[in-house]
Amino acid sequence: MSGSVWLPPGSRPDTLPYIPRQRATPSWARPDPVDELVARLEDFIAAAVHPDEIAALLESDGLSDDQIRERYGLKNSFALAETLYERVERRYPEPAGPAPDPWQTGLLGCLLRGVVFALPGLAYVLGAPLFAGPGDLGLPAGTVPLLAGALCGWTWNQGLAHRAYAWLGLGDRTAARRALLLGAPAGALLGSVVALACAAGAAPAVVAFAAGQSCYLAAATVLLVMGRERLLLLALAPMATGAVLSLAGPLPEAVSPALLLGSLAAVAALAVREVAPALKEPGWNAGLVALLPFGGLGTVPAQRPPAGPRLTSSLPYALFGLATGVLVLYAALGDVLADEEHSAVAAPAAVALTLSMGPAEWLLYRFRGDSLAGLRSSGTARDFRRTTVLTVVQCLAAYLAALLVLSLAASALWPHSPVPGGVRLAGLLLLGVVLWTGLLLQSFGAVSGATAVCCAAALAQTLLLVTHTGDPHLAGLAVYGTAAVVQGALVCALLGRATAHR
């Protein structure tokens, strides 16, 4: 606009017209400052899970308690946060797109590990001609030293693997190699000595085979811990091929020992190559520090890790390996211990249990992923507990279905092996429940409970067999069933809590 301001008659140009003052808005008509703050922060307040989150935001904006008392008439930021929290309804925003699953893993890799676990069993097919002579304790010739060496190897290598994995979890791959560098040969030596002590006049070939078994268990532990399953599979392929061919017809006399020694040498060479970087360490102190909490003799290395895994933390894992090994051996030798004619009828059960470790491992990952999804979708602790129990039942049912299929397939393919009856199948499935729930508890760090239950079950079944109390199959069924119920209760009690899934 342009031009002069219109003036009434008689007024001077240097004066302006009177503009009356606007009346002040009464205090009762002003908007509530808390409502204004709610409108400004509504999205954040609705997504808050506790008033303290809102208080932290208010303080980060620079609101002091004096300003809050002057503007909003409340005592401090916490009182204002509680008021805001009460005025806004909870609205938790859903993530855009599918949430990432850190526990997702491929099924093929887990199945490959199951095959790698089972393939060494074919070495006994090639080594069968070595086990000639009178039997021991009702078992075939050479069985006692082999079983003693195997149990010793399972126990030692389970604890060694946990210690190496603990170092890997701390991000120290070199320390893991050091622990394996000293621990694996020590385990092989210990297993060989135990097998020799239990030989009791067995043929030298049997003792040599047991020593080779101990060496293989130690070397395979190194490769499995370091994630070299494919290399282990390639090293076992010639021996496995020869064993399958020997089922169709006898091989030349020198071929079987050559295949056994060749595969063992290949696995040992791969294990040495895997831990070779640790050989560059000067002296043995660095390896002893990685293997033992108190290190070696002499000067402690200058770059010693500030906090390494405790040695006692690996003991429950070693005992768990011993207990589960005893239970599996009883399942494999059940007919022999029962003095039945078909002593090979339980061998397919041992093969099925070994192969089932592949699906078992994948289902453990699946449970972790599904439980994490249930933690996001559940609104109350009761809903989460119900979701967790349902997930456990689904994964356990899937594992038992895989174990049943593998057992029936192994029985059908095993020479002169009848179809297992209802008692044997029930005992096998209950043992599968014990093994899978034990591994589940172990994966959540609750290894002490699983170890106690499995050790008690192994001890109880040993006592029942030694004292010849009842039928061995029914005794095993009762022991497996009791252990399965106890571990199932432990799983529901522990994993039903949200804090266990951190």
Side-chain angles (χ1 to χ4, degrees):
M1 297 176 63
S2 62
S4 60
V5 179
W6 179 83
L7 298 175
S11 60
R12 294 181 301 177
D14 57 344
T15 62
L16 294 175
Y18 171 74
I19 300 176
R21 292 183 59 186
Q22 299 293 327
R23 295 183 57 187
T25 304
S27 59
W28 54 265
R30 295 176 185 174
D32 186 359
V34 177
D35 290 340
E36 293 180 345
L37 191 60
V38 166
R40 183 164 63 91
L41 303 177
E42 183 177 5
D43 292 338
F44 181 86
I45 298 172
V49 297
H50 194 274
D52 287 352
E53 293 185 44
I54 306 173
L57 176 66
L58 297 175
E59 292 176 354
S60 67
D61 282 346
L63 278 177
S64 64
D65 291 344
D66 294 336
Q67 293 173 331
I68 290 173
R69 281 191 291 268
E70 180 181 351
R71 296 181 190 177
Y72 305 104
L74 296 171
K75 183 179 179 181
N76 50 34
S77 60
F78 294 99
L80 178 58
E82 291 179 358
T83 302
L84 297 174
Y85 188 82
E86 293 173 356
R87 292 196 182 188
V88 179
E89 184 181 359
R90 303 297 98 211
R91 295 192 307 272
Y92 301 112
E94 295 294 332
D101 184 6
W103 298 102
Q104 186 175 7
T105 188
L107 177 60
L108 183 60
C110 295
L111 294 179
L112 176 64
R113 289 175 69 91
V115 173
V116 169
F117 294 153
L119 274 184
L122 294 175
Y124 300 102
V125 177
L126 291 177
L130 303 176
F131 309 117
D136 298 324
L137 303 177
L139 300 173
T143 304
V144 173
L146 287 178
L147 295 182
L151 285 176
C152 180
W154 291 340
T155 305
W156 178 272
N157 291 314
Q158 187 82 0
L160 176 62
H162 171 263
R163 187 153 187 84
Y165 277 125
W167 280 116
L168 291 175
L170 294 174
D172 197 340
R173 196 173 183 86
T174 302
R177 285 193 172 102
R178 294 172 191 155
L180 294 171
L181 174 62
L182 293 184
L189 179 61
L190 181 61
S192 302
V193 171
V194 170
L196 179 61
C198 298
V206 174
V207 178
F209 190 92
Q213 172 187 260
S214 299
C215 294
Y216 169 78
L217 291 175
T221 299
V222 174
L223 295 177
L224 291 173
V225 168
M226 304 307 290
R228 307 302 184 193
E229 296 89 352
R230 298 181 186 275
L231 293 178
L232 181 57
L233 179 63
L234 291 175
L236 293 174
M239 180 273 299
T241 304
V244 172
L245 293 177
S246 68
L247 296 176
L251 298 177
E253 185 177 354
V255 173
S256 294
L259 291 174
L260 291 172
L261 292 175
S263 291
L264 177 60
V267 174
L270 291 172
V272 170
R273 191 192 72 166
E274 193 61 36
V275 298
L279 293 172
K280 300 176 183 179
E281 293 291 335
W284 293 97
N285 252 5
L288 289 174
V289 168
L291 184 63
L292 302 174
F294 43 79
L297 302 175
T299 306
V300 179
Q303 297 181 348
R304 181 173 178 174
R310 295 177 301 169
L311 184 63
T312 54
S313 63
S314 300
L315 181 60
Y317 292 88
L319 294 177
F320 181 81
L322 174 63
T324 53
V326 170
L327 293 176
V328 171
L329 287 182
Y330 282 150
L333 301 174
D335 294 327
V336 178
L337 298 174
D339 297 327
E340 295 185 7
E341 180 180 357
H342 299 286
S343 61
V345 71
V351 174
L353 283 171
T354 306
L355 287 173
S356 70
M357 289 298 101
E361 182 180 355
W362 183 78
L363 288 169
L364 290 176
Y365 281 104
R366 178 70 180 273
F367 174 80
R368 297 300 294 261
D370 290 350
S371 62
L372 188 61
L375 192 62
R376 288 192 297 265
S377 61
S378 301
T380 63
R382 179 175 297 180
D383 291 342
F384 176 69
R385 191 178 302 110
R386 186 184 305 113
T387 302
T388 301
V389 172
L390 180 61
T391 305
V392 169
V393 171
Q394 291 175 345
C395 292
L396 184 57
Y399 171 69
L400 294 180
L403 179 59
L404 179 61
V405 171
L406 289 172
S407 176
L408 295 177
S411 299
L413 297 175
W414 198 271
H416 313 295
S417 175
V419 178
V423 175
R424 290 194 183 92
L425 282 179
L428 179 64
L429 295 179
L430 287 175
L431 178 57
V433 173
V434 174
L435 295 178
W436 193 81
T437 53
L439 293 173
L440 181 61
L441 290 171
Q442 187 181 136
S443 67
F444 279 87
V447 65
S448 299
T451 299
V453 173
C454 291
C455 286
L459 181 60
Q461 192 168 9
T462 301
L463 293 176
L464 291 175
L465 291 174
V466 170
T467 57
H468 301 285
T469 303
D471 181 77
H473 295 300
L474 295 178
L477 189 66
V479 170
Y480 301 152
T482 304
V485 170
V486 174
Q487 286 199 162
L490 288 176
V491 167
C492 294
L494 173 67
L495 304 187
R497 298 179 299 174
T499 54
H501 298 260
R502 292 177 293 182

